[in-house]
PDB file of all heavy atoms in Angstrom:
ATOM      1  N   PHE A   1      -1.195  18.355  26.141  1.00  0.00           N
ATOM      2  CA  PHE A   1       0.023  17.852  25.497  1.00  0.00           C
ATOM      3  C   PHE A   1      -0.199  17.405  24.063  1.00  0.00           C
ATOM      4  O   PHE A   1       0.711  17.434  23.249  1.00  0.00           O
ATOM      5  CB  PHE A   1       0.587  16.673  26.296  1.00  0.00           C
ATOM      6  CG  PHE A   1       0.686  16.953  27.760  1.00  0.00           C
ATOM      7  CD1 PHE A   1      -0.221  16.404  28.648  1.00  0.00           C
ATOM      8  CD2 PHE A   1       1.671  17.788  28.256  1.00  0.00           C
ATOM      9  CE1 PHE A   1      -0.148  16.663  30.004  1.00  0.00           C
ATOM     10  CE2 PHE A   1       1.758  18.067  29.614  1.00  0.00           C
ATOM     11  CZ  PHE A   1       0.837  17.501  30.493  1.00  0.00           C
ATOM     12  N   VAL A   2      -1.417  16.941  23.774  1.00  0.00           N
ATOM     13  CA  VAL A   2      -1.745  16.381  22.457  1.00  0.00           C
ATOM     14  C   VAL A   2      -3.070  16.993  22.007  1.00  0.00           C
ATOM     15  O   VAL A   2      -4.033  17.002  22.769  1.00  0.00           O
ATOM     16  CB  VAL A   2      -1.879  14.841  22.543  1.00  0.00           C
ATOM     17  CG1 VAL A   2      -2.262  14.248  21.202  1.00  0.00           C
ATOM     18  CG2 VAL A   2      -0.606  14.215  23.050  1.00  0.00           C
ATOM     19  N   ARG A   3      -3.109  17.476  20.783  1.00  0.00           N
ATOM     20  CA  ARG A   3      -4.340  18.117  20.299  1.00  0.00           C
ATOM     21  C   ARG A   3      -5.442  17.104  19.980  1.00  0.00           C
ATOM     22  O   ARG A   3      -6.612  17.450  19.978  1.00  0.00           O
ATOM     23  CB  ARG A   3      -4.037  18.962  19.064  1.00  0.00           C
ATOM     24  CG  ARG A   3      -3.120  20.121  19.362  1.00  0.00           C
ATOM     25  CD  ARG A   3      -3.021  21.113  18.224  1.00  0.00           C
ATOM     26  NE  ARG A   3      -2.715  20.573  16.926  1.00  0.00           N
ATOM     27  CZ  ARG A   3      -1.481  20.426  16.428  1.00  0.00           C
ATOM     28  NH1 ARG A   3      -0.423  20.738  17.165  1.00  0.00           N
ATOM     29  NH2 ARG A   3      -1.305  19.964  15.205  1.00  0.00           N
ATOM     30  N   HIS A   4      -5.071  15.863  19.709  1.00  0.00           N
ATOM     31  CA  HIS A   4      -6.061  14.853  19.309  1.00  0.00           C
ATOM     32  C   HIS A   4      -5.855  13.533  20.056  1.00  0.00           C
ATOM     33  O   HIS A   4      -5.568  12.501  19.451  1.00  0.00           O
ATOM     34  CB  HIS A   4      -5.986  14.628  17.795  1.00  0.00           C
ATOM     35  CG  HIS A   4      -6.176  15.869  17.005  1.00  0.00           C
ATOM     36  ND1 HIS A   4      -7.418  16.417  16.754  1.00  0.00           N
ATOM     37  CD2 HIS A   4      -5.275  16.704  16.432  1.00  0.00           C
ATOM     38  CE1 HIS A   4      -7.279  17.510  16.050  1.00  0.00           C
ATOM     39  NE2 HIS A   4      -5.991  17.725  15.846  1.00  0.00           N
ATOM     40  N   PRO A   5      -6.023  13.536  21.382  1.00  0.00           N
ATOM     41  CA  PRO A   5      -5.805  12.285  22.121  1.00  0.00           C
ATOM     42  C   PRO A   5      -6.795  11.178  21.761  1.00  0.00           C
ATOM     43  O   PRO A   5      -6.442   9.999  21.825  1.00  0.00           O
ATOM     44  CB  PRO A   5      -5.944  12.693  23.593  1.00  0.00           C
ATOM     45  CG  PRO A   5      -6.607  14.013  23.590  1.00  0.00           C
ATOM     46  CD  PRO A   5      -6.335  14.646  22.268  1.00  0.00           C
ATOM     47  N   LEU A   6      -8.010  11.523  21.362  1.00  0.00           N
ATOM     48  CA  LEU A   6      -8.962  10.501  20.931  1.00  0.00           C
ATOM     49  C   LEU A   6      -8.404   9.735  19.738  1.00  0.00           C
ATOM     50  O   LEU A   6      -8.418   8.498  19.704  1.00  0.00           O
ATOM     51  CB  LEU A   6     -10.316  11.142  20.579  1.00  0.00           C
ATOM     52  CG  LEU A   6     -11.363  10.249  19.925  1.00  0.00           C
ATOM     53  CD1 LEU A   6     -11.732   9.073  20.810  1.00  0.00           C
ATOM     54  CD2 LEU A   6     -12.599  11.058  19.579  1.00  0.00           C
ATOM     55  N   MET A   7      -7.880  10.469  18.775  1.00  0.00           N
ATOM     56  CA  MET A   7      -7.311   9.826  17.589  1.00  0.00           C
ATOM     57  C   MET A   7      -6.031   9.062  17.929  1.00  0.00           C
ATOM     58  O   MET A   7      -5.775   7.998  17.377  1.00  0.00           O
ATOM     59  CB  MET A   7      -7.031  10.868  16.499  1.00  0.00           C
ATOM     60  CG  MET A   7      -8.249  11.614  16.059  1.00  0.00           C
ATOM     61  SD  MET A   7      -9.587  10.495  15.569  1.00  0.00           S
ATOM     62  CE  MET A   7     -10.930  11.618  15.499  1.00  0.00           C
ATOM     63  N   LEU A   8      -5.246   9.602  18.844  1.00  0.00           N
ATOM     64  CA  LEU A   8      -4.051   8.882  19.301  1.00  0.00           C
ATOM     65  C   LEU A   8      -4.448   7.538  19.900  1.00  0.00           C
ATOM     66  O   LEU A   8      -3.852   6.505  19.571  1.00  0.00           O
ATOM     67  CB  LEU A   8      -3.287   9.717  20.334  1.00  0.00           C
ATOM     68  CG  LEU A   8      -2.138   9.008  21.054  1.00  0.00           C
ATOM     69  CD1 LEU A   8      -1.050   8.590  20.079  1.00  0.00           C
ATOM     70  CD2 LEU A   8      -1.580   9.886  22.164  1.00  0.00           C
ATOM     71  N   GLY A   9      -5.459   7.536  20.770  1.00  0.00           N
ATOM     72  CA  GLY A   9      -5.915   6.291  21.381  1.00  0.00           C
ATOM     73  C   GLY A   9      -6.391   5.289  20.344  1.00  0.00           C
ATOM     74  O   GLY A   9      -6.077   4.094  20.424  1.00  0.00           O
ATOM     75  N   LEU A  10      -7.143   5.758  19.354  1.00  0.00           N
ATOM     76  CA  LEU A  10      -7.627   4.851  18.302  1.00  0.00           C
ATOM     77  C   LEU A  10      -6.467   4.279  17.487  1.00  0.00           C
ATOM     78  O   LEU A  10      -6.455   3.083  17.181  1.00  0.00           O
ATOM     79  CB  LEU A  10      -8.618   5.582  17.390  1.00  0.00           C
ATOM     80  CG  LEU A  10      -9.958   5.950  18.016  1.00  0.00           C
ATOM     81  CD1 LEU A  10     -10.787   6.794  17.053  1.00  0.00           C
ATOM     82  CD2 LEU A  10     -10.724   4.722  18.464  1.00  0.00           C
ATOM     83  N   LEU A  11      -5.502   5.116  17.141  1.00  0.00           N
ATOM     84  CA  LEU A  11      -4.350   4.628  16.380  1.00  0.00           C
ATOM     85  C   LEU A  11      -3.582   3.571  17.162  1.00  0.00           C
ATOM     86  O   LEU A  11      -3.174   2.539  16.601  1.00  0.00           O
ATOM     87  CB  LEU A  11      -3.429   5.789  15.995  1.00  0.00           C
ATOM     88  CG  LEU A  11      -3.972   6.708  14.907  1.00  0.00           C
ATOM     89  CD1 LEU A  11      -3.102   7.949  14.778  1.00  0.00           C
ATOM     90  CD2 LEU A  11      -4.082   5.978  13.583  1.00  0.00           C
ATOM     91  N   ILE A  12      -3.380   3.800  18.450  1.00  0.00           N
ATOM     92  CA  ILE A  12      -2.698   2.797  19.278  1.00  0.00           C
ATOM     93  C   ILE A  12      -3.501   1.500  19.281  1.00  0.00           C
ATOM     94  O   ILE A  12      -2.948   0.411  19.075  1.00  0.00           O
ATOM     95  CB  ILE A  12      -2.494   3.319  20.714  1.00  0.00           C
ATOM     96  CG1 ILE A  12      -1.484   4.466  20.732  1.00  0.00           C
ATOM     97  CG2 ILE A  12      -2.039   2.188  21.644  1.00  0.00           C
ATOM     98  CD1 ILE A  12      -1.407   5.207  22.063  1.00  0.00           C
ATOM     99  N   ALA A  13      -4.818   1.601  19.484  1.00  0.00           N
ATOM    100  CA  ALA A  13      -5.668   0.405  19.545  1.00  0.00           C
ATOM    101  C   ALA A  13      -5.665  -0.354  18.216  1.00  0.00           C
ATOM    102  O   ALA A  13      -5.680  -1.590  18.204  1.00  0.00           O
ATOM    103  CB  ALA A  13      -7.092   0.791  19.941  1.00  0.00           C
ATOM    104  N   PHE A  14      -5.657   0.357  17.099  1.00  0.00           N
ATOM    105  CA  PHE A  14      -5.713  -0.310  15.804  1.00  0.00           C
ATOM    106  C   PHE A  14      -4.400  -0.994  15.425  1.00  0.00           C
ATOM    107  O   PHE A  14      -4.405  -1.987  14.703  1.00  0.00           O
ATOM    108  CB  PHE A  14      -6.088   0.683  14.692  1.00  0.00           C
ATOM    109  CG  PHE A  14      -7.466   1.265  14.830  1.00  0.00           C
ATOM    110  CD1 PHE A  14      -7.781   2.464  14.226  1.00  0.00           C
ATOM    111  CD2 PHE A  14      -8.456   0.629  15.574  1.00  0.00           C
ATOM    112  CE1 PHE A  14      -9.051   3.019  14.349  1.00  0.00           C
ATOM    113  CE2 PHE A  14      -9.726   1.171  15.703  1.00  0.00           C
ATOM    114  CZ  PHE A  14     -10.029   2.368  15.079  1.00  0.00           C
ATOM    115  N   TRP A  15      -3.272  -0.450  15.894  1.00  0.00           N
ATOM    116  CA  TRP A  15      -1.972  -0.978  15.483  1.00  0.00           C
ATOM    117  C   TRP A  15      -1.317  -1.901  16.515  1.00  0.00           C
ATOM    118  O   TRP A  15      -0.465  -2.704  16.157  1.00  0.00           O
ATOM    119  CB  TRP A  15      -1.020   0.168  15.128  1.00  0.00           C
ATOM    120  CG  TRP A  15      -1.380   0.789  13.826  1.00  0.00           C
ATOM    121  CD1 TRP A  15      -2.135   1.909  13.622  1.00  0.00           C
ATOM    122  CD2 TRP A  15      -1.050   0.308  12.527  1.00  0.00           C
ATOM    123  NE1 TRP A  15      -2.282   2.158  12.284  1.00  0.00           N
ATOM    124  CE2 TRP A  15      -1.621   1.188  11.588  1.00  0.00           C
ATOM    125  CE3 TRP A  15      -0.310  -0.782  12.061  1.00  0.00           C
ATOM    126  CZ2 TRP A  15      -1.477   1.016  10.211  1.00  0.00           C
ATOM    127  CZ3 TRP A  15      -0.166  -0.951  10.680  1.00  0.00           C
ATOM    128  CH2 TRP A  15      -0.750  -0.062   9.786  1.00  0.00           C
ATOM    129  N   ALA A  16      -1.663  -1.801  17.783  1.00  0.00           N
ATOM    130  CA  ALA A  16      -1.023  -2.610  18.825  1.00  0.00           C
ATOM    131  C   ALA A  16      -1.684  -3.986  18.869  1.00  0.00           C
ATOM    132  O   ALA A  16      -2.713  -4.171  19.505  1.00  0.00           O
ATOM    133  CB  ALA A  16      -1.127  -1.919  20.179  1.00  0.00           C
ATOM    134  N   THR A  17      -1.101  -4.907  18.181  1.00  0.00           N
ATOM    135  CA  THR A  17      -1.634  -6.267  18.168  1.00  0.00           C
ATOM    136  C   THR A  17      -0.495  -7.267  18.056  1.00  0.00           C
ATOM    137  O   THR A  17       0.448  -7.053  17.291  1.00  0.00           O
ATOM    138  CB  THR A  17      -2.630  -6.471  17.006  1.00  0.00           C
ATOM    139  OG1 THR A  17      -3.076  -7.828  17.021  1.00  0.00           O
ATOM    140  CG2 THR A  17      -2.012  -6.175  15.653  1.00  0.00           C
ATOM    141  N   PRO A  18      -0.575  -8.358  18.802  1.00  0.00           N
ATOM    142  CA  PRO A  18       0.446  -9.392  18.654  1.00  0.00           C
ATOM    143  C   PRO A  18       0.256 -10.222  17.390  1.00  0.00           C
ATOM    144  O   PRO A  18       1.168 -10.908  16.953  1.00  0.00           O
ATOM    145  CB  PRO A  18       0.275 -10.245  19.912  1.00  0.00           C
ATOM    146  CG  PRO A  18      -1.115  -9.995  20.364  1.00  0.00           C
ATOM    147  CD  PRO A  18      -1.486  -8.623  19.908  1.00  0.00           C
ATOM    148  N   ASP A  19      -0.933 -10.143  16.790  1.00  0.00           N
ATOM    149  CA  ASP A  19      -1.243 -10.933  15.588  1.00  0.00           C
ATOM    150  C   ASP A  19      -1.834 -10.017  14.522  1.00  0.00           C
ATOM    151  O   ASP A  19      -3.020  -9.687  14.568  1.00  0.00           O
ATOM    152  CB  ASP A  19      -2.247 -12.049  15.923  1.00  0.00           C
ATOM    153  CG  ASP A  19      -1.726 -12.957  17.031  1.00  0.00           C
ATOM    154  OD1 ASP A  19      -0.659 -13.550  16.841  1.00  0.00           O
ATOM    155  OD2 ASP A  19      -2.392 -13.029  18.080  1.00  0.00           O
ATOM    156  N   MET A  20      -1.012  -9.598  13.562  1.00  0.00           N
ATOM    157  CA  MET A  20      -1.463  -8.683  12.513  1.00  0.00           C
ATOM    158  C   MET A  20      -1.796  -9.478  11.257  1.00  0.00           C
ATOM    159  O   MET A  20      -0.919  -9.897  10.505  1.00  0.00           O
ATOM    160  CB  MET A  20      -0.378  -7.653  12.203  1.00  0.00           C
ATOM    161  CG  MET A  20      -0.744  -6.679  11.096  1.00  0.00           C
ATOM    162  SD  MET A  20      -2.149  -5.614  11.489  1.00  0.00           S
ATOM    163  CE  MET A  20      -1.382  -4.330  12.460  1.00  0.00           C
ATOM    164  N   SER A  21      -3.098  -9.706  11.050  1.00  0.00           N
ATOM    165  CA  SER A  21      -3.539 -10.372   9.822  1.00  0.00           C
ATOM    166  C   SER A  21      -3.579  -9.350   8.695  1.00  0.00           C
ATOM    167  O   SER A  21      -3.548  -8.140   8.929  1.00  0.00           O
ATOM    168  CB  SER A  21      -4.929 -10.993  10.021  1.00  0.00           C
ATOM    169  OG  SER A  21      -5.892  -9.967  10.140  1.00  0.00           O
ATOM    170  N   TYR A  22      -3.705  -9.839   7.470  1.00  0.00           N
ATOM    171  CA  TYR A  22      -3.795  -8.919   6.339  1.00  0.00           C
ATOM    172  C   TYR A  22      -5.092  -8.111   6.409  1.00  0.00           C
ATOM    173  O   TYR A  22      -5.123  -6.933   6.038  1.00  0.00           O
ATOM    174  CB  TYR A  22      -3.677  -9.661   5.010  1.00  0.00           C
ATOM    175  CG  TYR A  22      -2.304 -10.230   4.779  1.00  0.00           C
ATOM    176  CD1 TYR A  22      -2.115 -11.565   4.468  1.00  0.00           C
ATOM    177  CD2 TYR A  22      -1.177  -9.410   4.880  1.00  0.00           C
ATOM    178  CE1 TYR A  22      -0.846 -12.082   4.264  1.00  0.00           C
ATOM    179  CE2 TYR A  22       0.105  -9.916   4.684  1.00  0.00           C
ATOM    180  CZ  TYR A  22       0.254 -11.253   4.375  1.00  0.00           C
ATOM    181  OH  TYR A  22       1.518 -11.765   4.182  1.00  0.00           O
ATOM    182  N   GLY A  23      -6.148  -8.731   6.902  1.00  0.00           N
ATOM    183  CA  GLY A  23      -7.401  -8.008   7.073  1.00  0.00           C
ATOM    184  C   GLY A  23      -7.277  -6.899   8.111  1.00  0.00           C
ATOM    185  O   GLY A  23      -7.760  -5.788   7.909  1.00  0.00           O
ATOM    186  N   HIS A  24      -6.619  -7.203   9.227  1.00  0.00           N
ATOM    187  CA  HIS A  24      -6.394  -6.198  10.278  1.00  0.00           C
ATOM    188  C   HIS A  24      -5.515  -5.075   9.735  1.00  0.00           C
ATOM    189  O   HIS A  24      -5.769  -3.896   9.998  1.00  0.00           O
ATOM    190  CB  HIS A  24      -5.747  -6.875  11.481  1.00  0.00           C
ATOM    191  CG  HIS A  24      -5.622  -5.989  12.677  1.00  0.00           C
ATOM    192  ND1 HIS A  24      -5.688  -6.468  13.948  1.00  0.00           N
ATOM    193  CD2 HIS A  24      -5.417  -4.656  12.818  1.00  0.00           C
ATOM    194  CE1 HIS A  24      -5.536  -5.481  14.810  1.00  0.00           C
ATOM    195  NE2 HIS A  24      -5.365  -4.374  14.135  1.00  0.00           N
ATOM    196  N   LEU A  25      -4.492  -5.448   8.965  1.00  0.00           N
ATOM    197  CA  LEU A  25      -3.607  -4.445   8.368  1.00  0.00           C
ATOM    198  C   LEU A  25      -4.394  -3.514   7.450  1.00  0.00           C
ATOM    199  O   LEU A  25      -4.231  -2.292   7.512  1.00  0.00           O
ATOM    200  CB  LEU A  25      -2.486  -5.123   7.590  1.00  0.00           C
ATOM    201  CG  LEU A  25      -1.552  -4.182   6.815  1.00  0.00           C
ATOM    202  CD1 LEU A  25      -0.765  -3.290   7.765  1.00  0.00           C
ATOM    203  CD2 LEU A  25      -0.624  -4.988   5.931  1.00  0.00           C
ATOM    204  N   LEU A  26      -5.258  -4.080   6.627  1.00  0.00           N
ATOM    205  CA  LEU A  26      -6.067  -3.273   5.726  1.00  0.00           C
ATOM    206  C   LEU A  26      -6.966  -2.320   6.508  1.00  0.00           C
ATOM    207  O   LEU A  26      -7.066  -1.137   6.188  1.00  0.00           O
ATOM    208  CB  LEU A  26      -6.905  -4.189   4.829  1.00  0.00           C
ATOM    209  CG  LEU A  26      -7.758  -3.512   3.777  1.00  0.00           C
ATOM    210  CD1 LEU A  26      -6.901  -2.695   2.818  1.00  0.00           C
ATOM    211  CD2 LEU A  26      -8.558  -4.550   3.019  1.00  0.00           C
ATOM    212  N   PHE A  27      -7.595  -2.831   7.553  1.00  0.00           N
ATOM    213  CA  PHE A  27      -8.440  -1.994   8.398  1.00  0.00           C
ATOM    214  C   PHE A  27      -7.621  -0.883   9.053  1.00  0.00           C
ATOM    215  O   PHE A  27      -8.021   0.281   9.063  1.00  0.00           O
ATOM    216  CB  PHE A  27      -9.127  -2.852   9.466  1.00  0.00           C
ATOM    217  CG  PHE A  27      -9.944  -2.059  10.432  1.00  0.00           C
ATOM    218  CD1 PHE A  27     -11.219  -1.649  10.104  1.00  0.00           C
ATOM    219  CD2 PHE A  27      -9.429  -1.706  11.673  1.00  0.00           C
ATOM    220  CE1 PHE A  27     -11.975  -0.898  10.995  1.00  0.00           C
ATOM    221  CE2 PHE A  27     -10.174  -0.966  12.569  1.00  0.00           C
ATOM    222  CZ  PHE A  27     -11.451  -0.553  12.229  1.00  0.00           C
ATOM    223  N   ALA A  28      -6.464  -1.235   9.604  1.00  0.00           N
ATOM    224  CA  ALA A  28      -5.619  -0.248  10.285  1.00  0.00           C
ATOM    225  C   ALA A  28      -5.133   0.824   9.312  1.00  0.00           C
ATOM    226  O   ALA A  28      -5.116   2.015   9.654  1.00  0.00           O
ATOM    227  CB  ALA A  28      -4.440  -0.941  10.967  1.00  0.00           C
ATOM    228  N   LEU A  29      -4.748   0.421   8.110  1.00  0.00           N
ATOM    229  CA  LEU A  29      -4.296   1.401   7.113  1.00  0.00           C
ATOM    230  C   LEU A  29      -5.434   2.333   6.701  1.00  0.00           C
ATOM    231  O   LEU A  29      -5.251   3.555   6.623  1.00  0.00           O
ATOM    232  CB  LEU A  29      -3.727   0.686   5.884  1.00  0.00           C
ATOM    233  CG  LEU A  29      -2.366   0.038   6.050  1.00  0.00           C
ATOM    234  CD1 LEU A  29      -2.037  -0.835   4.842  1.00  0.00           C
ATOM    235  CD2 LEU A  29      -1.280   1.090   6.258  1.00  0.00           C
ATOM    236  N   ALA A  30      -6.617   1.760   6.440  1.00  0.00           N
ATOM    237  CA  ALA A  30      -7.760   2.573   6.004  1.00  0.00           C
ATOM    238  C   ALA A  30      -8.172   3.560   7.094  1.00  0.00           C
ATOM    239  O   ALA A  30      -8.405   4.743   6.815  1.00  0.00           O
ATOM    240  CB  ALA A  30      -8.929   1.671   5.617  1.00  0.00           C
ATOM    241  N   THR A  31      -8.262   3.097   8.331  1.00  0.00           N
ATOM    242  CA  THR A  31      -8.690   3.992   9.404  1.00  0.00           C
ATOM    243  C   THR A  31      -7.610   5.029   9.735  1.00  0.00           C
ATOM    244  O   THR A  31      -7.940   6.165  10.082  1.00  0.00           O
ATOM    245  CB  THR A  31      -9.084   3.211  10.672  1.00  0.00           C
ATOM    246  OG1 THR A  31      -8.022   2.334  11.033  1.00  0.00           O
ATOM    247  CG2 THR A  31     -10.360   2.411  10.441  1.00  0.00           C
ATOM    248  N   THR A  32      -6.354   4.652   9.594  1.00  0.00           N
ATOM    249  CA  THR A  32      -5.276   5.618   9.815  1.00  0.00           C
ATOM    250  C   THR A  32      -5.355   6.738   8.785  1.00  0.00           C
ATOM    251  O   THR A  32      -5.242   7.917   9.130  1.00  0.00           O
ATOM    252  CB  THR A  32      -3.903   4.926   9.768  1.00  0.00           C
ATOM    253  OG1 THR A  32      -3.843   3.951  10.817  1.00  0.00           O
ATOM    254  CG2 THR A  32      -2.767   5.916   9.917  1.00  0.00           C
TER     255      THR A  32
END
C-alpha cells in the first residue's frame, strides 16, 4: 500500500507529540 512505510513510521514518530518544543520542531523539520 505504501512504498516507504519505514519513512512513514519515522514521520509519524517525529511529529506525533503532545508537547512540541521549538527544539523538537527543528528536529522534526530537519529530518522530514
Side-chain angles (χ1 to χ4, degrees):
F1 311 105
V2 178
R3 295 191 309 269
H4 304 280
L6 172 60
M7 301 307 167
L8 171 63
L10 291 174
L11 288 170
I12 292 170
F14 296 158
W15 286 96
T17 178
D19 303 301
M20 178 64 82
S21 69
Y22 292 127
H24 187 148
L25 175 65
L26 183 60
F27 176 81
L29 286 170
T31 53
T32 298

